[in-house]
Amino acid sequence: MFELLPSLKGVLVSRSFDPALWPVVIHSSGTDLFIGGTALRAESLRHTTGFFIDAAGEPRCPTTDECHPASLMDSARRVLVTRIIAAHVTGGRALVRVDAALPQTTAIADVAFVGVGLTGAAMADITVVDTTGHRRTVHAELPAGAIATATLVIALRPVADRAVADQAVVGTHGPRAASPSSCMESPGGRR
């Protein structure tokens, strides 16, 4: 399309944010994202590792290691700002390593790349690898440009802790019928 209309090459595409996935109001300006008056790219450069933010865009704790669910704006819905330390894009998929540890009881609801325009972006599977080596994948907008030096903003959602959920079922309703998750271990592994 840019070959037909070269004047569109410099046009920036604005990103929209689904309020069902993002617990804070985010708006884009150029290639940066803002929460309130806070520019997320500049704020990420002020921190040594990723950090959670509140609804005003203010950091809630200096590092993700020091964040506790009770200290966040809402333990059920979190937003993490982190720098990308390495990225590999191939075949419409991306593997992105970030400088923060994501809480174990969360999954990724959505991601947004800061510092990279959306012109030419496409929906893709994006696997985020945190500092502990855990991987989480989300289907989201992947920018066409280089993303290795970008900032990544991650909307997290809680996932049920399997052990707590199993214990709650047994505690309230007595022992439950055998299911694939409650089968006994066999010498060759789970049955």
Side-chain angles (χ1 to χ4, degrees):
M1 184 154 112
F2 295 128
E3 296 80 25
L4 298 173
L5 299 168
S7 62
L8 289 179
K9 228 175 200 178
V11 174
L12 293 174
V13 178
S14 293
R15 166 78 195 259
S16 60
F17 294 89
D18 182 349
L21 301 175
W22 293 90
V24 297
V25 177
I26 300 178
H27 67 277
S28 62
S29 178
T31 60
D32 207 346
L33 298 179
F34 292 81
I35 296 177
T38 304
L40 297 183
R41 176 72 170 165
E43 190 63 38
S44 75
L45 296 175
R46 287 193 257 285
H47 297 268
T48 56
T49 65
F51 58 93
F52 291 99
I53 54 175
D54 65 14
E58 297 297 320
R60 291 294 283 176
C61 45
T63 68
T64 55
D65 295 334
E66 296 174 18
C67 285
H68 301 287
S71 72
L72 300 174
M73 63 183 149
D74 177 351
S75 62
R77 298 171 67 172
R78 303 172 182 153
V79 175
L80 175 68
V81 178
T82 181
R83 285 190 303 272
I84 296 172
I85 54 177
H88 181 71
V89 179
T90 182
R93 296 181 62 88
L95 178 71
V96 178
R97 293 188 182 278
V98 297
D99 71 350
L102 280 65
Q104 292 293 316
T105 57
T106 61
I108 297 175
D110 198 8
V111 296
F113 293 85
V114 183
V116 180
L118 279 182
T119 304
M123 296 300 287
D125 286 335
I126 302 167
T127 300
V128 177
V129 183
D130 69 6
T131 55
T132 64
H134 289 97
R135 297 168 178 253
R136 294 173 180 86
T137 301
V138 63
H139 193 71
E141 281 182 312
L142 178 66
I147 57 174
T149 60
T151 296
L152 189 65
V153 183
I154 305 171
L156 297 169
R157 64 177 175 78
V159 292
D161 183 349
R162 184 92 186 182
V164 172
D166 286 348
Q167 193 174 31
V169 170
V170 171
T172 357
H173 306 292
R176 60 188 177 136
S179 68
S181 66
S182 64
C183 290
M184 294 176 47
E185 292 283 319
S186 65
R190 283 197 136 150
R191 291 190 267 174

